[in-house]
Amino acid sequence: KPLLEVTGLTAMIAESKQEILKGVNLLVNEGEIHAIMGKNGSGKSTLSKVLVGHPDYEVTGGSVIFKGENLLEMEPEERSLAGLFMSFQSPVEIPGVSNIDFLHMAYNAQRRKLDEPELGPIEFYAYIYPKLEIVNMKTDFLNRNVNEGFSGGEKKRNEILQLAVLGAELAILDEIDSGLDVDALRDVAKAVNGLLTPKNSVLMITHYRRLLEFIKPTFIHIMDDGRIIRTGDASIAKVLEEGGYKAISDS
Ligand code: ADP
Ligand code: MG
Ligand code: MG
């Protein structure tokens, strides 16, 4: 069943009017894991930001259907309430706010908007507790301030915990592997894998093939100059390994 259908999507930087996305086509079905790879500057982050409705970009053409609805007509917040989640390349620190309070607020805000009852502190703790195990975090992690003094791997796992708390049908993970050593990467990947269900889909963006050893994609897309120029199964990662992105664009 189609979850996200991107057709001929073009977009420019709002300020400079420079066109970055030049006709992106992408189909993500329920339960699939898609990886988008490509050179630095090929437009991967722009695509993810356009999908969540980032104000720096202006869509100039094409369509995006999410769960049968026109995503481009929705406000960023509506997109998130509809089940779209995005992690960020550099998560922010929030001094003075504990992680559990932050997650609790975010969760209740979401429940309010969905007209569902909010959870009190004890109920929320019961809700989040089993999720800590999925992301391999200790409970004391909840009492630390959001991202303050977190290692790279902890920040990423904390984002996956946010995803676990808020839930999403489509999680866009932009470079969750950046700056991580192999052990931290394995932990983050384990957290993502722990959240996968037959209904939920993941769009992961990465510059490196290494991540794909830990999270096995259904499809890999190669992005170049604002377009997806090639789609294949996991075997195209092998071509990349052997010849780099040049081998992909030449073949
Ligand atoms: P990738 O994530 O594949 O490395 P990006 O989507 O971040 O690529 O960027 C694609 C191109 O668009 C780059 O040349 C980048 O400098 C430019 N770009 C993207 N967003 C902006 C912005 N807000 N302002 C100026 N240039 C931008
Ligand atoms: Mg980049
Ligand atoms: Mg990027």
Side-chain angles (χ1 to χ4, degrees):
K1 208 174 148 204
L3 180 64
L4 179 79
E5 301 167 81
V6 180
T7 311
L9 182 65
T10 56
M12 62 187 186
I13 299 168
E15 200 178 45
S16 65
K17 310 287 177 209
Q18 185 195 347
E19 189 176 51
I20 305 292
L21 300 184
K22 302 179 179 173
V24 175
N25 296 306
L26 176 67
L27 171 65
V28 178
N29 291 306
E30 281 179 0
E32 291 177 348
I33 303 175
H34 290 245
I36 298 184
M37 304 187 71
K39 285 184 291 217
N40 224 332
S42 53
K44 305 181 298 296
S45 293
T46 300
L47 173 61
S48 53
K49 287 189 263 186
V50 165
L51 291 176
V52 295
H54 195 292
D56 281 0
Y57 305 92
E58 216 173 284
V59 172
T60 49
S63 68
V64 182
I65 308 295
F66 181 61
K67 293 163 67 183
E69 304 212 20
N70 182 353
L71 190 79
L72 299 176
E73 275 180 357
M74 297 158 84
E75 295 297 323
E77 189 185 76
E78 296 174 306
R79 299 180 195 203
S80 128
L81 290 172
L84 192 62
F85 175 93
M86 185 183 165
S87 78
F88 295 94
Q89 248 172 285
S90 3
V92 287
E93 296 192 3
I94 311 179
V97 176
S98 75
N99 216 8
I100 189 156
D101 286 346
F102 175 77
L103 291 168
H104 190 184
M105 281 186 298
Y107 182 74
N108 274 346
Q110 184 191 57
R111 303 267 294 189
R112 265 197 308 281
K113 284 164 202 147
L114 293 171
D115 270 326
E116 283 167 30
E118 295 180 33
L119 295 186
I122 294 167
E123 292 164 301
F124 183 70
Y125 191 78
Y127 172 73
I128 199 172
Y129 190 78
K131 302 189 187 305
L132 289 173
E133 200 169 323
I134 300 174
V135 298
N136 190 20
M137 280 175 177
K138 297 206 178 73
T139 45
D140 62 3
F141 202 78
L142 292 175
N143 298 319
R144 290 167 63 183
N145 290 348
V146 181
N147 286 333
E148 214 174 58
F150 284 13
S151 70
E154 285 172 336
K155 279 188 189 177
K156 306 287 172 158
R157 271 187 289 151
N158 200 37
E159 285 188 60
I160 306 304
L161 180 62
Q162 287 176 25
L163 169 60
V165 165
L166 297 175
E169 275 138 288
L170 180 64
I172 303 176
L173 308 174
D174 192 0
E175 296 203 20
I176 46 159
D177 48 349
S178 72
L180 300 188
D181 63 33
V182 93
D183 290 328
L185 179 62
R186 192 175 286 120
D187 276 350
V188 169
K190 205 173 143 201
V192 173
N193 286 322
L195 289 180
L196 294 172
T197 73
K199 284 233 144 203
N200 290 13
S201 307
V202 173
L203 184 60
M204 56 181 180
I205 292 171
T206 180
H207 190 62
Y208 300 104
R209 208 184 49 81
R210 206 178 53 159
L211 178 68
L212 311 182
E213 290 170 19
F214 298 105
I215 305 175
K216 295 281 179 221
T218 327
F219 294 105
I220 298 178
H221 310 275
I222 308 297
M223 193 153 180
D224 187 40
D225 192 23
R227 285 188 191 90
I228 287 172
I229 57 161
R230 178 99 184 254
T231 291
D233 60 17
S235 69
I236 66 174
K238 188 106 179 88
V239 182
L240 273 181
E241 179 178 40
E242 283 155 9
Y245 289 109
K246 195 171 177 304
I248 291 286
S249 32
D250 289 350
S251 62

